[in-house]
């Protein structure tokens, strides 16, 4: 299934319409040391509700209200508070592994609540994510475009030993929140985790787009396609039971503020050359 919905996080005095989503996000969540990295699915946020939306595009008030609660009540925490300053588009391999495992801890915390198996980190998936990020950068594409950069994803898939003839079935994409403090490609590792946390919340909870004060606005919750993929709730029987996962980032040559987040999930059925994928 092609995933064409994009998640962007921007502070602006004017609403910007991109791919059908109004993006005026202001991510003000403050790190704490209260809990491990996890996201709690509120009452009313069910497997059947997410599947129903993905199959019919009809959403219940119960799912919308649960998504509102999920956005408001889940807050970033990082017991390690890493103040290492990094260029997000030039992370070390070990930093990308750390961030991949961090994102997985969030995704799996939600999956487990629906009785789903964990996704797992795989070096081949991280390499694939890096290839996709390079394709976006080389061709000056980003999540601020109208769609995923499918030709680049297909080239990266082929180079990574994956099926490249099935279109866009791999990527969940978002944009790092832009603020007065973070408007270049530089972040602390702690701030970067904070923003990844917010991106995954968006994906799970209706593709929320808006400021903190708009979290009660039902019109800001428009899609559960990302949730369907991350949670394995697009269909009742065809979704992969688990996937390999890696995360990478790309920037634009002309605008260092726009950082795309490439979360790549690879089902085993799409691996055509295990040696190439695992190199």
């Amino acid at each position: 299934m092609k995933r064409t919905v994009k998640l962007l996080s921007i502070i602006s005095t004017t609403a910007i319409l991109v791919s059908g989503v109004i993006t005026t996000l202001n991510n003000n969540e403050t790190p704490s040391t209260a809990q491990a990295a996890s996201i709690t699915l509120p009452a009313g946020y069910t497997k059947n509700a997410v599947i129903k939306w993905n199959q019919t595009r009809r959403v219940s008030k119960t799912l919308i209200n649960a998504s509102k609660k999920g956005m408001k009540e889940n807050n970033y925490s990082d017991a390690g508070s890493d103040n290492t300053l990094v260029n997000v588009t030039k992370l070390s391999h070990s930093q990308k592994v750390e961030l991949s495992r961090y994102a997985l801890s969030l995704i799996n915390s939600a999956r487990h609540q629906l009785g789903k198996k964990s996704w797992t980190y795989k070096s081949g998936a991280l390499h694939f994510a890096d290839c996709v990020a390079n394709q976006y950068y080389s061709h000056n594409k980003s999540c601020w475009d109208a769609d995923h950069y499918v030709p680049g994803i297909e080239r990266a898939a082929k180079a990574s030993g994956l099926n490249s003839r099935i279109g866009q079935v791999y990527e969940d994409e978002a944009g790092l929140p832009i603020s007065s403090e973070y408007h270049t490609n530089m972040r602390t590792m702690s701030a970067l985790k904070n923003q990844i946390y917010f991106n995954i919340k968006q994906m799970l909870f209706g593709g929320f787009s808006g400021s903190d004060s708009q979290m009660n606005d039902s019109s800001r919750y428009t899609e559960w396609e990302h949730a369907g993929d991350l949670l394995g709730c697009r269909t009742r029987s065809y979704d992969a039971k688990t996937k390999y996962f890696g995360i990478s980032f790309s920037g634009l040559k002309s605008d260092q503020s726009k950082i795309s987040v490439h979360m790549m999930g690879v089902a085993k059925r799409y691996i055509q050359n295990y040696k190439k994928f695992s190199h």
Side-chain angles (χ1 to χ4, degrees), residues 219-255:
S219 69
R220 298 284 174 173
Y221 300 83
T222 59
E223 62 85 15
W224 286 262
E225 194 168 0
H226 290 91
D229 182 58
L230 295 179
L231 300 175
C233 292
R234 291 180 299 164
T235 70
R236 296 197 180 278
S237 58
Y238 188 69
D239 292 286
K241 294 186 184 301
T242 185
K243 289 185 180 182
Y244 296 128
F245 180 83
I247 190 172
S248 193
F249 307 84
S250 65
L252 283 173
K253 298 174 183 178
S254 60
D255 189 345

Side-chain angles (χ1 to χ4, degrees), residues 201-213:
K201 276 207 316 183
Q202 287 180 287
M203 290 182 176
L204 294 178
F205 300 126
F208 171 78
S209 178
S211 65
D212 291 348
S213 64

Side-chain angles (χ1 to χ4, degrees), residues 165-179:
R165 298 182 178 181
I166 50 176
Q168 169 17 38
V169 298
Y170 299 107
E171 178 180 67
D172 286 296
E173 187 184 15
L176 289 185
I178 299 170
S179 69

Side-chain angles (χ1 to χ4, degrees), residues 122-179:
K122 186 83 168 177
S123 60
L126 177 56
H127 175 73
F128 176 38
D130 283 340
C131 287
V132 169
N134 288 336
Q135 286 289 326
Y136 270 79
Y137 180 76
S138 297
H139 295 85
N140 205 37
K141 302 294 184 179
S142 78
C143 64
W144 277 263
D145 298 329
D147 198 358
H148 294 266
Y149 182 42
V150 178
I153 294 171
E154 290 175 337
R155 284 191 291 269
K158 185 175 182 179
S160 301
L162 303 175
N163 190 332
S164 61
R165 298 182 178 181
I166 50 176
Q168 169 17 38
V169 298
Y170 299 107
E171 178 180 67
D172 286 296
E173 187 184 15
L176 289 185
I178 299 170
S179 69

Side-chain angles (χ1 to χ4, degrees), residues 3 14-15 19 37 50 52 63 91 100 111 113 150 169 174 198 200 202 206 208 249 256-258 261-262 267:
R3 298 192 291 282
T14 325
S19 305
V50 177
K52 179 182 177 181
L63 181 57
L91 296 167
S100 294
R111 287 179 62 85
Q113 292 166 67
V150 178
V169 298
F198 191 81
I200 293 176
Q202 287 180 287
F208 171 78
F249 307 84
Q256 293 187 70
S257 70
K258 292 182 176 178
V261 185
H262 309 281

Side-chain angles (χ1 to χ4, degrees), residues 4-17:
T4 58
V5 181
K6 316 297 285 301
L7 294 178
L8 306 179
S9 305
I10 303 174
I11 292 177
S12 173
T13 55
T14 325
I16 302 174
L17 181 63

